[in-house]
Amino acid sequence: MSDIIQLLPDHVANQIAAGEVVQRPASVVKELIENSIDAGATSIKLLLKDAGKTLIQVIDDGKGMSVTDARLSFERHATSKIKDAQDLFNLNTKGFRGEALASIAAIAHVELKTKQENEELGSQIKIEGSKVVSQETVSTAKGTSIAVKNLFYNIPARRNFLKSDTIETRHIVDEFQRVALAHPDISFLLHHNNNEVYHLKKSNLRKRIVAIFGAKMNEKLVPISEQTDIITVNGFVAKPEFAKKKRGEQFFFVNNRFIKSSYLNHAVVNAFEGLLEHGSHPSYFLYLEVPPNSIDINIHPTKTEIKFDNEKALYAILRATVKHSLGQYNVAPILDFDRDATLDTPYNYNKKNGSSSAPPITVDPTFNPFKTETDYKPETISTPKSGSNTYQSNFKKDTGNWEALYTNIETTPSIQQEQLFESQKETETGKTFQIQKKYLLSSIKSGVVLINQSLAHQRVLYEEFLENITIKEASSQQLLFPVSISFSSADIEMIYTIKSDLESAGFMFDQFTKESVIIGGIPTSITESKITLVLEQLLDDIKLEVPDASFSHFDVMAKSFAKSLAIKTGTVLSVKEQENLVNDLFSCKEPNTSPFGKATFKTLTLNEIDSIFNK
């Protein structure tokens, strides 16, 4: 029998390795920037075209490479970081495997220019699909410039799996932010399609965080600092009132390397116990310094997962440190049995505003002390009920506009809808009931229908938004005073990339600045107070890859708008509002599910109800 095992050619082996190292343009950005940091760069520039699909260029002022090193750097497992296996447990550099450049060169057109400080001339190497096209001596600046063009040009199947430019840009920005946050002592510049996204100067950690996430971040930060024999912890956590519904601004760095750790994240969340609303997640920027020989970072291709020798001790120290800082800066309640808590100044009291405002005084002009108690009917004043949320008060105030949220969608009802309509017509009372401010119960001929009010409203709004955006011409309402909303530079760049789609939905933009977006008009279905909520939710959905590569932003926007503006659990609805919601749900094209695939209602027949009690 003939032999069947054979050695793979180098170019095939490199492409296989590239599949592990280079998953998308962001992977290339990470590897190249980390190489620049290891080269001792003090200034790093990142230039992109078409979300990195056409061009990724990293320029640094590091120590550069010799002619021999420049050529050898593209060979597999060629590295200056380690010499034997023991070095893997005492790493102080970003990269060490020697696979990155070889993998990148296997699936792209690469041009390298590099020069050392003591050399008059540098080297230029051009490689296409692992093949060296040319190598020559050139005049170039000190440091290294690597341009990666036409990524995955020779693997079209991999290129087709890439997401939209918006999504791929978001991944690149994520990698850029992680490296920039780990090294505030290095200046970074990011250009995308000739637009400047970030220009980060050398600074301290706090200034770097603010430069990346916007000026408003400064007031949110609580400093963290602790030093023990096994770990040093520094950084910041955000105050509980600024917690988010999504896991967004959560950063762990171990020895200046970004990592992901659900175990350490649990320690931080545990420190916020009793301070966060249900479903909220704290923001944090935490920097851990541990002995290099106490961790193993060689357990994952992207090196974002680390194995610690003493996880339990680190957990306890981290939790205690965060909890101590929250108490020290009066963010967490302090136990003091000798003080009267009613005399405390509220935490959000602003001393710059001077004294607090006087309580309002309400006078009833209809009151007559000489009338009998039965004759006296005080004027009813509408006030939010105890425990009600902000949405409830807005919802009640806008009751007159409630029916405007629901327009009959011209469509032929399904057989199931017709049966429900007929059943509803035959009910004796035709009434609905609200259960626990979450569900609506409606009686029908064959039994009852239990409806989730929030999911049902999402379905109604989703179809309305989608119809207005795609079929009808979206109508806008011009704001009397333009609204300026602050975002991070990356978020502003993302909004700008979907600007035309947002304008099709009814938004009108007056101006884009580095830290804010000025809006002059909004869709008629959105109130001014909800603009920030709607845009933040939309950005979160895009970041979390809700849209698939084939989905349009219109569908994403309709889903995001519906999720943002739908009535929430805990909202009290009047009987009329309940009936409107039920009727509008069953006027939808697909009333059975929410835009995100969850069931909106459940029908219980009399037989099913009887079976509960006949067991």
Side-chain angles (χ1 to χ4, degrees):
M1 190 173 183
S2 60
D3 298 332
I4 59 175
I5 296 177
Q6 59 183 347
L7 291 175
L8 289 173
D10 285 344
H11 71 280
V12 176
N14 285 341
Q15 286 190 2
I16 294 173
E20 184 180 74
V21 178
V22 184
Q23 299 174 348
R24 58 195 339 149
S27 307
V28 176
V29 170
K30 176 180 182 295
E31 297 291 349
L32 296 185
I33 292 181
E34 288 184 347
N35 280 348
S36 295
I37 293 172
D38 286 341
T42 60
S43 175
I44 299 175
K45 299 177 183 177
L46 172 61
L47 310 178
L48 305 170
K49 284 187 180 179
D50 304 325
K53 298 172 184 176
T54 302
L55 172 69
I56 299 171
Q57 185 172 9
V58 174
I59 306 170
D60 68 57
D61 63 350
K63 58 188 177 184
M65 290 181 282
S66 66
V67 177
T68 304
D69 286 347
R71 179 65 186 86
L72 195 59
S73 65
F74 288 98
E75 297 296 330
R76 289 189 69 201
H77 307 306
T79 177
S80 62
K81 315 297 172 54
I82 61 174
K83 290 182 173 59
D84 54 49
Q86 190 58 37
D87 290 341
L88 289 172
F89 300 96
N90 193 30
L91 288 169
N92 293 292
T93 57
K94 301 289 185 182
F96 52 86
R97 291 176 180 163
E99 292 178 304
L101 290 182
S103 299
I104 294 169
I107 53 174
H109 297 159
V110 179
E111 180 180 303
L112 167 70
K113 290 182 181 180
T114 185
K115 184 176 84 75
Q116 294 178 320
E117 188 172 15
N118 57 352
E119 299 290 335
E120 292 185 5
L121 296 174
S123 301
Q124 176 179 287
I125 299 177
K126 293 183 179 179
I127 299 179
E128 296 179 1
S130 294
K131 295 181 180 179
V132 178
V133 176
S134 67
Q135 180 172 354
E136 56 189 357
T137 302
V138 295
S139 176
T140 185
K142 176 219 168 198
T144 302
S145 169
I146 299 184
V148 178
K149 304 175 183 178
N150 306 320
L151 192 64
F152 298 126
Y153 81 99
N154 53 354
I155 314 179
R158 288 289 301 276
R159 193 176 179 90
N160 291 337
F161 273 102
L162 294 178
K163 304 288 186 179
S164 65
D165 283 2
T166 303
I167 297 298
E168 295 301 337
T169 301
R170 181 68 234 178
H171 282 285
I172 291 173
V173 169
D174 284 345
E175 294 293 351
F176 179 86
Q177 288 179 349
R178 291 166 183 174
V179 177
L181 286 170
H183 299 275
D185 56 330
I186 299 176
S187 65
F188 290 90
L189 184 70
L190 170 57
H191 277 218
H192 183 218
N193 292 338
N194 297 320
N195 294 322
E196 183 181 288
V197 181
Y198 283 114
H199 189 182
L200 307 175
K201 299 178 181 179
K202 298 178 185 179
S203 60
N204 58 35
L205 178 56
R206 189 179 194 116
K207 288 181 179 179
R208 176 56 56 89
I209 294 173
V210 172
I212 292 176
F213 295 101
K216 285 193 173 181
M217 177 60 74
N218 192 40
E219 64 178 292
K220 304 177 183 179
L221 300 178
V222 175
I224 303 291
S225 182
E226 185 64 51
Q227 186 171 0
T228 69
D229 293 337
I230 62 173
I231 186 175
T232 299
V233 182
N234 289 293
F236 300 89
V237 295
K239 297 170 185 174
E241 61 263 35
F242 298 108
K244 296 192 171 185
K245 296 296 182 183
K246 305 288 182 183
R247 297 174 187 261
E249 296 154 0
Q250 296 184 338
F251 296 88
F252 274 119
F253 299 91
V254 174
N255 296 354
N256 287 334
R257 183 191 299 275
F258 172 80
I259 69 157
K260 296 178 181 178
S261 173
S262 57
Y263 187 70
L264 295 182
N265 175 74
H266 189 273
V268 176
V269 173
N270 208 327
F272 278 83
E273 186 178 6
L275 300 175
L276 298 177
E277 293 183 5
H278 179 70
S280 296
H281 304 276
S283 298
Y284 53 78
F285 308 85
L286 295 174
Y287 296 73
L288 284 59
E289 292 288 336
V290 298
N293 59 5
S294 68
I295 56 175
D296 182 3
I297 60 178
N298 194 31
I299 61 173
H300 193 273
T302 62
K303 301 183 286 288
T304 56
E305 295 180 13
I306 288 181
K307 183 178 180 181
F308 296 93
D309 279 352
N310 43 6
E311 276 191 335
K312 290 185 178 179
L314 297 183
Y315 182 100
I317 293 172
L318 185 59
R319 178 182 178 276
T321 301
V322 174
K323 204 172 187 67
H324 173 72
S325 290
L326 291 175
Q328 185 179 8
Y329 288 89
N330 296 325
V331 177
I334 301 172
L335 292 177
D336 186 350
F337 298 102
D338 295 328
R339 68 180 169 88
D340 186 349
T342 60
L343 300 178
D344 285 350
T345 302
Y347 175 69
N348 58 2
Y349 173 72
N350 190 347
K351 294 181 180 179
K352 294 182 180 179
N353 294 335
S355 59
S356 59
S357 58
I361 300 175
T362 305
V363 178
D364 183 7
T366 65
F367 176 69
N368 186 340
F370 298 102
K371 285 188 177 182
T372 61
E373 188 171 306
T374 54
D375 292 335
Y376 171 60
K377 295 181 179 179
E379 183 180 3
T380 302
I381 301 174
S382 178
T383 57
K385 294 183 179 180
S386 174
S388 66
N389 55 25
T390 306
Y391 193 92
Q392 177 183 337
S393 59
N394 290 340
F395 184 78
K396 286 292 184 182
K397 186 168 61 176
D398 295 335
T399 300
N401 297 328
W402 171 258
E403 292 184 4
L405 289 175
Y406 305 102
T407 54
N408 290 326
I409 299 175
E410 298 178 3
T411 180
T412 305
S414 63
I415 297 176
Q416 183 182 14
Q417 293 172 2
E418 289 178 349
Q419 290 175 344
L420 278 168
F421 287 140
E422 290 302 318
S423 299
Q424 287 175 329
K425 288 178 184 177
E426 295 176 12
T427 56
E428 295 181 0
T429 61
K431 287 210 167 190
T432 57
F433 303 91
Q434 190 175 30
I435 303 173
Q436 296 294 322
K437 303 177 186 177
K438 184 176 183 179
Y439 300 104
L440 303 181
L441 185 67
S442 181
S443 174
I444 58 176
K445 184 177 181 180
S446 60
V448 293
V449 175
L450 191 61
I451 301 170
N452 184 303
Q453 65 184 38
S454 182
L455 298 180
H457 197 198
Q458 285 182 22
R459 165 53 62 179
V460 173
L461 292 180
Y462 168 71
E463 292 197 2
E464 178 186 329
F465 282 129
L466 199 59
E467 183 183 36
N468 288 339
I469 295 173
T470 58
I471 300 177
K472 299 178 180 178
E473 185 175 348
S475 55
S476 300
Q477 52 179 327
Q478 190 164 1
L479 299 175
L480 184 61
F481 300 102
V483 175
S484 178
I485 306 176
S486 297
F487 290 103
S488 68
S489 299
D491 286 345
I492 290 174
E493 173 73 10
M494 187 177 296
I495 293 174
Y496 189 79
T497 59
I498 59 173
K499 176 174 174 283
S500 59
D501 290 341
L502 287 169
E503 288 174 337
S504 299
F507 282 93
M508 298 167 61
F509 297 96
D510 288 353
Q511 186 180 357
F512 282 80
T513 68
K514 286 188 176 182
E515 291 193 350
S516 64
V517 175
I518 300 177
I519 299 174
I522 57 176
T524 53
S525 51
I526 296 177
T527 60
E528 185 175 337
S529 62
K530 300 291 182 182
I531 300 175
T532 303
L533 175 68
V534 166
L535 290 180
E536 286 182 346
Q537 182 65 62
L538 177 60
L539 291 174
D540 283 339
D541 289 339
I542 293 176
K543 292 173 189 176
L544 294 172
E545 295 191 32
V546 171
D548 213 0
S550 59
F551 285 4
S552 72
H553 284 127
F554 293 140
D555 184 71
V556 182
M557 281 191 284
K559 287 180 178 177
S560 189
F561 292 170
K563 182 164 55 176
S564 302
L565 300 175
I567 55 177
K568 304 296 187 289
T569 297
T571 303
V572 177
L573 305 181
S574 68
V575 174
K576 179 64 176 175
E577 291 162 352
Q578 295 171 31
E579 292 174 353
N580 284 342
L581 182 53
V582 172
N583 293 334
D584 288 321
L585 173 64
F586 292 108
S587 295
C588 290
K589 293 180 180 179
E590 298 181 17
N592 294 1
T593 59
S594 76
F596 300 93
K598 296 181 179 179
T600 56
F601 69 90
K602 171 69 176 176
T603 302
L604 294 175
T605 65
L606 287 175
N607 290 336
E608 289 175 326
I609 297 174
D610 289 339
S611 66
I612 296 174
F613 300 98
N614 293 332
K615 288 182 179 179

